[in-house]
């Protein structure tokens, strides 16, 4: 029976014979001894392999193969302070399963090279840690929604209209017609709430982003929720709970990985509700007082959000944006129709927007007027307009960029490290 390496890194296994399997992470020979650092999905361990124990043939074969060769080993665990994980295996026997020669990732760790070889770089301890954090984040999102009465639903990926503006639509040929890749499942989630009232989905969204920033992908993972009868504040409250749940799970399950990534945990450990709430106009004033060059009416771009959020140590909900800089579906504030009842959630520490959401227009005449103002043809959105014809209700929703959330929680320098296969304006492989 094989153990995972993390199981045997313990005093309870000292003196016990174990069977391990994995890949050569490091290898060096000193005379009649070869030191192998073996890795598996859980951790690494030093293995001391002596020629006299495994025999000349196997020793010679082991000496020839390179890093990332796959191995099974048998041996006895002993404590060794100088070993990378404090224990080592006194090897009795090995079995080389799959040799690897000249594994391409050695000294050259340049960004582009590692992106070109992401299919192999996934094996690194850095990516292993990030993938585990990502796993915990996805699981926590499902857990939160399901524990709070949300039904999981699925919208289509082939669609015929924009949600977040036509400039970032990916057009795909569709049997002689035009289709687009979904920018957001929102409009479809709005159809579900008339049946299930509270729905969510986690799916890829596509944005033909020409901007090359630390936080933009052309394909990203999007967790979206929609709730019947909710107003803007109700939705923000659920989102606060969601983020707190995810942060708590990541701290509980992934402290080891966060520490390996040298993530400063203070802000995450000190996170508490309620998050900061600022109206857009207050945020603009704050930004101007802090020397950030921005005027009322400007959209907050990556640079502005980075500069602003570096000054905060908890997430900030920014609400009541001017109607001109938000998509047509946002509900104008009845008390001041020049602004809309929306919110963005900006992550602190310079990370910026991780959530966009708000209250939807639910009155037919208001929606038709806004579509006309935006030059949209209601016919193109006939099914979306129908929702306002047949038993319309106030409702709100949001979209969380899961890759951006992982990027913030793991304290990474660029979103491309937060997703296994990043897609950007210049990259569509591997
Ligand atoms: N159901 C909804 O109400 C969602 C709404 N229709 C929507 O798509 N809002 S959003 O455009 O701000 O995108 C939502 C989030 O999606 C993320 N996002 C948005 N665009 C990107 C790109 N290009 N790359 C990575 N992540 C991205 C980011 O965190 C945004 O806050
Ligand atoms: Mg947004």
């Amino acid at each position: 029976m094989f153990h995972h390496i993390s199981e045997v890194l313990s005093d309870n296994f000292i003196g016990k014979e174990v069977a391990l399997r994995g890949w050569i992470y490091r290898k060096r020979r000193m005379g009649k001894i070869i030191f192998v650092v073996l890795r598996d999905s859980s951790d690494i361990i030093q293995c001391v392999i002596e020629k006299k124990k495994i025999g000349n043939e196997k020793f010679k074969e082991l000496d020839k193969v390179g890093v990332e060769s796959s191995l099974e080993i048998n041996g006895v665990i002993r404590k060794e302070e100088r070993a990378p994980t404090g224990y080592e295996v006194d090897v009795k026997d090995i079995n080389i399963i799959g040799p690897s020669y000249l594994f391409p990732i050695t000294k050259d760790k340049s960004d582009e090279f590692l992106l070109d070889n992401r299919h192999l770089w996934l094996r690194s301890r850095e990516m292993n840690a990030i993938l585990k954090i990502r796993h915990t984040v996805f699981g926590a999102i499902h857990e939160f929604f399901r524990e709070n009465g949300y039904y999981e639903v699925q919208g289509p990926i082939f669609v015929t209209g924009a949600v977040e503006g036509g400039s970032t639509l990916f057009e795909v040929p569709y049997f002689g017609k035009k289709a687009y890749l979904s920018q957001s499942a929102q409009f479809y989630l709005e159809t579900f709430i008339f049946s299930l009232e509270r729905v969510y989905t986690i799916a890829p969204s596509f944005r033909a982003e020409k901007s090359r920033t630390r936080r933009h992908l052309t394909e990203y993972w999007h967790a979206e929720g929609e709730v019947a009868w909710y107003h803007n504040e109700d939705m923000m409250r659920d989102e606060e709970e969601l983020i707190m749940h995810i942060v708590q799970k990541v701290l509980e399950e992934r402290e080891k990985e966060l520490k390996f990534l040298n993530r400063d945990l203070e802000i995450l450990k000190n996170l508490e509700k309620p998050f900061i709430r600022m109206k857009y106009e207050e945020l603009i004033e704050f930004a101007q007082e802090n020397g950030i060059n921005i005027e009322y009416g400007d959209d907050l771009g990556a640079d502005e959000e980075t500069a602003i959020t570096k000054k905060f140590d908890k997430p900030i909900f920014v609400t009541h944006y001017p109607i001109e800089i938000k998509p047509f579906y946002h509900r104008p504030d009845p008390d001041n129709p020049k602004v809309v009842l929306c919110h963005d959630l900006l992550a602190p520490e310079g990370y910026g927007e991780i959530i966009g959401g708000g209250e939807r227009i639910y009155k037919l005449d208001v929606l038709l007027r806004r579509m006309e103002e935006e030059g949209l043809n209601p016919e193109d959105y006939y099914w979306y307009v129908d929702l306002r014809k047949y038993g319309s209700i106030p409702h709100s929703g949001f979209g969380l960029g899961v890759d951006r959330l992982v990027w913030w929680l793991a304290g990474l320098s660029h979103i491309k490290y937060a997703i296994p296969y990043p897609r950007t304006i210049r990259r569509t492989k591997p």
Side-chain angles (χ1 to χ4, degrees):
M1 181 267 245
F2 290 97
H3 282 94
H4 270 109
I5 291 171
S6 56
E7 293 172 278
V8 304
L9 295 175
S10 147
D11 289 357
N12 300 333
F13 275 85
I14 292 174
K16 288 198 175 128
E17 183 167 341
V18 297
L20 300 173
R21 57 189 172 185
W23 295 266
I24 296 177
Y25 178 66
R26 295 279 181 274
K27 180 167 81 92
R28 67 188 160 84
R29 175 174 175 179
M30 287 174 67
K32 293 179 179 170
I33 299 176
I34 292 176
F35 292 89
V36 160
V37 177
L38 186 75
R39 69 167 186 81
D40 66 10
S41 61
S42 68
D43 216 318
I44 61 173
I45 190 167
Q46 176 163 287
C47 306
V48 182
I49 304 162
E50 296 178 63
K51 183 188 284 191
K52 66 183 179 191
K53 290 186 179 171
I54 65 165
N56 287 350
E57 274 317 298
K58 282 191 175 180
F59 191 84
K60 211 160 65 177
E61 199 190 343
L62 179 63
D63 197 25
K64 274 193 306 190
V65 297
V67 294
E68 286 307 311
S69 299
S70 45
L71 283 190
E72 291 173 347
I73 67 136
N74 274 81
V76 176
I77 299 295
R78 62 187 181 211
K79 200 135 175 99
E80 175 44 77
E81 298 300 334
R82 294 166 297 176
T85 43
Y87 297 85
E88 66 181 11
V89 188
D90 175 9
V91 174
K92 293 182 134 179
D93 194 12
I94 68 164
N95 189 10
I96 296 175
I97 305 299
S100 159
Y101 301 101
L102 303 176
F103 184 72
I105 300 175
T106 51
K107 300 280 179 285
D108 180 356
K109 294 274 179 71
S110 67
D111 236 14
E112 283 307 301
F113 180 80
L114 292 182
L115 282 166
D116 289 339
N117 290 280
R118 179 59 70 90
H119 57 298
L120 299 176
W121 183 238
L122 291 180
R123 307 175 186 207
S124 66
R125 298 184 77 198
E126 292 83 353
M127 287 308 298
N128 177 282
I130 293 165
L131 291 172
K132 287 176 181 173
I133 291 167
R134 195 175 164 91
H135 162 83
T136 296
V137 168
F138 273 82
I141 294 171
H142 279 290
E143 205 174 52
F144 171 83
F145 278 125
R146 288 166 178 255
E147 285 175 4
N148 288 278
Y150 286 74
Y151 290 93
E152 185 175 9
V153 295
Q154 292 75 32
I157 295 294
F158 284 124
V159 297
T160 53
V163 178
E164 298 298 323
S167 65
T168 62
L169 275 174
F170 273 114
E171 182 180 313
V172 283
Y174 199 83
F175 304 110
K177 292 186 187 156
K178 271 186 199 174
Y180 304 102
L181 296 181
S182 170
Q183 292 173 314
S184 158
Q186 176 191 328
F187 291 0
Y188 294 95
L189 295 190
E190 291 186 59
T191 65
F192 286 110
I193 64 170
F194 292 84
S195 169
L196 298 169
E197 293 195 40
R198 201 173 260 263
V199 296
Y200 83 98
T201 193
I202 306 179
S205 284
F206 302 87
R207 307 282 170 106
E209 295 282 358
K210 297 175 187 62
S211 39
R212 288 169 49 192
T213 70
R214 302 184 308 152
R215 65 178 193 173
H216 282 96
L217 297 164
T218 54
E219 172 184 329
Y220 73 94
W221 284 84
H222 202 176
E224 299 186 78
E226 198 74 27
V227 186
W229 311 108
Y230 261 25
H231 292 285
N232 205 27
E233 185 51 43
D234 303 317
M235 197 71 259
M236 289 193 278
R237 209 172 32 251
D238 270 18
E239 292 163 40
E240 229 165 42
E241 295 288 346
L242 167 64
I243 297 297
M244 291 301 292
H245 179 71
I246 296 166
V247 169
Q248 183 209 340
K249 280 291 180 180
V250 167
L251 289 173
E252 261 170 36
E253 296 178 11
R254 298 300 166 204
E255 183 156 358
K256 177 180 148 193
E257 287 78 13
L258 288 168
K259 286 187 172 160
F260 178 79
L261 295 169
N262 299 315
R263 177 37 158 149
D264 175 354
L265 299 182
E266 273 326 291
I267 281 192
L268 299 182
K269 285 187 170 176
N270 297 333
L271 201 61
E272 56 185 21
K273 299 177 300 180
F275 294 166
I276 299 164
R277 280 164 175 70
M278 288 173 94
K279 289 192 174 179
Y280 167 88
E281 63 182 350
E282 294 166 321
L283 193 79
I284 294 296
E285 273 167 39
F286 174 87
Q288 289 168 341
E289 285 156 13
N290 285 274
I292 295 162
N293 180 20
I294 190 166
E295 299 300 324
Y296 184 93
D298 291 348
D299 200 355
L300 293 167
D303 295 343
E304 293 78 18
E305 287 184 3
T306 299
I308 291 167
T309 57
K310 273 187 174 154
K311 299 180 185 305
F312 291 90
D313 60 6
K314 65 192 308 193
I316 312 111
F317 276 114
V318 186
T319 63
H320 298 82
Y321 282 71
I323 195 166
E324 297 78 14
I325 55 180
K326 284 293 180 182
F328 74 95
Y329 58 76
H330 284 286
R331 184 182 175 214
D333 180 353
D335 300 333
N336 172 9
K338 290 199 173 73
V339 299
V340 288
L341 298 172
C342 71
H343 59 265
D344 276 12
L345 182 63
L346 310 185
E349 303 177 273
Y351 284 87
E353 182 189 346
I354 56 172
I355 288 180
E359 209 167 317
R360 307 351 181 154
I361 294 172
Y362 68 96
K363 292 252 172 68
L364 178 61
D365 58 335
V366 179
L367 184 68
L368 293 175
R369 177 170 55 75
R370 287 291 296 124
M371 293 181 95
E372 190 186 352
E373 286 168 1
E374 295 297 317
L376 296 170
N377 177 356
E379 273 310 300
D380 296 340
Y381 295 87
Y382 72 91
W383 52 276
Y384 188 65
V385 174
D386 271 358
L387 305 181
R388 280 75 181 166
K389 288 180 182 170
Y390 308 111
S392 188
I393 50 165
H395 60 287
S396 297
F398 72 98
L400 162 66
V402 185
D403 316 293
R404 287 198 181 173
L405 179 62
V406 171
W407 173 48
W408 168 44
L409 297 183
L412 302 172
S413 61
H414 195 292
I415 195 171
K416 64 190 171 187
Y417 304 117
I419 184 169
Y421 290 99
R423 290 296 177 261
T424 62
I425 189 169
R426 295 186 309 156
R427 183 166 292 276
T428 52
K429 59 183 178 182

mmCIF file of all heavy atoms in Angstrom, residues 195-207:
data_model
loop_
_atom_site.group_PDB
_atom_site.id
_atom_site.type_symbol
_atom_site.label_atom_id
_atom_site.label_comp_id
_atom_site.label_asym_id
_atom_site.label_seq_id
_atom_site.Cartn_x
_atom_site.Cartn_y
_atom_site.Cartn_z
ATOM 1 N N SER A 195 -38.354 30.916 -11.516
ATOM 2 C CA SER A 195 -38.672 29.530 -11.158
ATOM 3 C C SER A 195 -38.038 29.191 -9.813
ATOM 4 O O SER A 195 -38.705 28.755 -8.892
ATOM 5 C CB SER A 195 -38.114 28.604 -12.249
ATOM 6 O OG SER A 195 -38.187 27.266 -11.821
ATOM 7 N N LEU A 196 -36.729 29.451 -9.679
ATOM 8 C CA LEU A 196 -36.000 28.970 -8.499
ATOM 9 C C LEU A 196 -35.682 30.054 -7.482
ATOM 10 O O LEU A 196 -35.131 29.783 -6.432
ATOM 11 C CB LEU A 196 -34.688 28.312 -8.976
ATOM 12 C CG LEU A 196 -34.855 27.095 -9.886
ATOM 13 C CD1 LEU A 196 -33.499 26.707 -10.501
ATOM 14 C CD2 LEU A 196 -35.447 25.926 -9.104
ATOM 15 N N GLU A 197 -35.917 31.320 -7.827
ATOM 16 C CA GLU A 197 -35.749 32.489 -6.946
ATOM 17 C C GLU A 197 -34.288 32.800 -6.601
ATOM 18 O O GLU A 197 -33.890 33.948 -6.546
ATOM 19 C CB GLU A 197 -36.564 32.344 -5.655
ATOM 20 C CG GLU A 197 -38.074 32.378 -5.911
ATOM 21 C CD GLU A 197 -38.891 32.601 -4.633
ATOM 22 O OE1 GLU A 197 -38.467 33.415 -3.793
ATOM 23 O OE2 GLU A 197 -39.932 31.961 -4.495
ATOM 24 N N ARG A 198 -33.467 31.802 -6.394
ATOM 25 C CA ARG A 198 -32.091 32.030 -5.908
ATOM 26 C C ARG A 198 -31.179 31.071 -6.667
ATOM 27 O O ARG A 198 -31.219 29.874 -6.462
ATOM 28 C CB ARG A 198 -32.135 31.681 -4.418
ATOM 29 C CG ARG A 198 -31.130 32.194 -3.535
ATOM 30 C CD ARG A 198 -31.548 31.831 -2.100
ATOM 31 N NE ARG A 198 -32.165 32.961 -1.435
ATOM 32 C CZ ARG A 198 -31.437 33.755 -0.615
ATOM 33 N NH1 ARG A 198 -30.165 33.492 -0.379
ATOM 34 N NH2 ARG A 198 -32.007 34.780 -0.041
ATOM 35 N N VAL A 199 -30.370 31.577 -7.611
ATOM 36 C CA VAL A 199 -29.576 30.691 -8.465
ATOM 37 C C VAL A 199 -28.124 31.143 -8.539
ATOM 38 O O VAL A 199 -27.819 32.326 -8.281
ATOM 39 C CB VAL A 199 -30.169 30.609 -9.882
ATOM 40 C CG1 VAL A 199 -31.562 29.988 -9.864
ATOM 41 C CG2 VAL A 199 -30.161 31.971 -10.553
ATOM 42 N N TYR A 200 -27.266 30.176 -8.910
ATOM 43 C CA TYR A 200 -25.859 30.544 -9.152
ATOM 44 C C TYR A 200 -25.277 29.652 -10.233
ATOM 45 O O TYR A 200 -25.811 28.585 -10.523
ATOM 46 C CB TYR A 200 -25.032 30.446 -7.880
ATOM 47 C CG TYR A 200 -24.532 29.047 -7.536
ATOM 48 C CD1 TYR A 200 -23.238 28.651 -7.852
ATOM 49 C CD2 TYR A 200 -25.368 28.120 -6.912
ATOM 50 C CE1 TYR A 200 -22.773 27.375 -7.531
ATOM 51 C CE2 TYR A 200 -24.927 26.844 -6.599
ATOM 52 C CZ TYR A 200 -23.616 26.480 -6.911
ATOM 53 O OH TYR A 200 -23.151 25.207 -6.597
ATOM 54 N N THR A 201 -24.182 30.073 -10.784
ATOM 55 C CA THR A 201 -23.450 29.252 -11.735
ATOM 56 C C THR A 201 -21.970 29.584 -11.640
ATOM 57 O O THR A 201 -21.607 30.711 -11.246
ATOM 58 C CB THR A 201 -23.957 29.450 -13.180
ATOM 59 O OG1 THR A 201 -23.418 28.423 -14.028
ATOM 60 C CG2 THR A 201 -23.529 30.813 -13.737
ATOM 61 N N ILE A 202 -21.110 28.621 -11.913
ATOM 62 C CA ILE A 202 -19.671 28.902 -12.052
ATOM 63 C C ILE A 202 -19.313 28.397 -13.445
ATOM 64 O O ILE A 202 -19.433 27.196 -13.726
ATOM 65 C CB ILE A 202 -18.816 28.167 -11.002
ATOM 66 C CG1 ILE A 202 -19.309 28.459 -9.584
ATOM 67 C CG2 ILE A 202 -17.344 28.614 -11.141
ATOM 68 C CD1 ILE A 202 -18.506 27.722 -8.494
ATOM 69 N N ALA A 203 -18.917 29.307 -14.312
ATOM 70 C CA ALA A 203 -18.685 28.934 -15.711
ATOM 71 C C ALA A 203 -17.644 29.872 -16.299
ATOM 72 O O ALA A 203 -17.380 30.936 -15.735
ATOM 73 C CB ALA A 203 -19.990 29.044 -16.491
ATOM 74 N N PRO A 204 -17.063 29.508 -17.433
ATOM 75 C CA PRO A 204 -16.144 30.441 -18.076
ATOM 76 C C PRO A 204 -16.909 31.589 -18.731
ATOM 77 O O PRO A 204 -18.010 31.396 -19.241
ATOM 78 C CB PRO A 204 -15.434 29.599 -19.118
ATOM 79 C CG PRO A 204 -16.243 28.380 -19.302
ATOM 80 C CD PRO A 204 -17.107 28.211 -18.094
ATOM 81 N N SER A 205 -16.326 32.764 -18.652
ATOM 82 C CA SER A 205 -16.832 33.930 -19.381
ATOM 83 C C SER A 205 -15.717 34.410 -20.296
ATOM 84 O O SER A 205 -14.533 34.183 -20.006
ATOM 85 C CB SER A 205 -17.244 35.052 -18.431
ATOM 86 O OG SER A 205 -18.495 34.768 -17.812
ATOM 87 N N PHE A 206 -16.096 35.064 -21.393
ATOM 88 C CA PHE A 206 -15.118 35.414 -22.419
ATOM 89 C C PHE A 206 -15.176 36.908 -22.717
ATOM 90 O O PHE A 206 -16.258 37.460 -22.909
ATOM 91 C CB PHE A 206 -15.412 34.601 -23.692
ATOM 92 C CG PHE A 206 -15.378 33.112 -23.460
ATOM 93 C CD1 PHE A 206 -16.512 32.439 -23.024
ATOM 94 C CD2 PHE A 206 -14.210 32.398 -23.625
ATOM 95 C CE1 PHE A 206 -16.485 31.066 -22.775
ATOM 96 C CE2 PHE A 206 -14.162 31.022 -23.374
ATOM 97 C CZ PHE A 206 -15.314 30.364 -22.945
ATOM 98 N N ARG A 207 -14.006 37.529 -22.734
ATOM 99 C CA ARG A 207 -13.929 38.967 -22.980
ATOM 100 C C ARG A 207 -12.779 39.247 -23.956
ATOM 101 O O ARG A 207 -11.638 38.872 -23.675
ATOM 102 C CB ARG A 207 -13.655 39.753 -21.684
ATOM 103 C CG ARG A 207 -14.603 39.453 -20.541
ATOM 104 C CD ARG A 207 -15.935 40.148 -20.688
ATOM 105 N NE ARG A 207 -16.912 39.694 -19.732
ATOM 106 C CZ ARG A 207 -17.317 40.409 -18.670
ATOM 107 N NH1 ARG A 207 -16.799 41.596 -18.445
ATOM 108 N NH2 ARG A 207 -18.223 39.921 -17.842
#
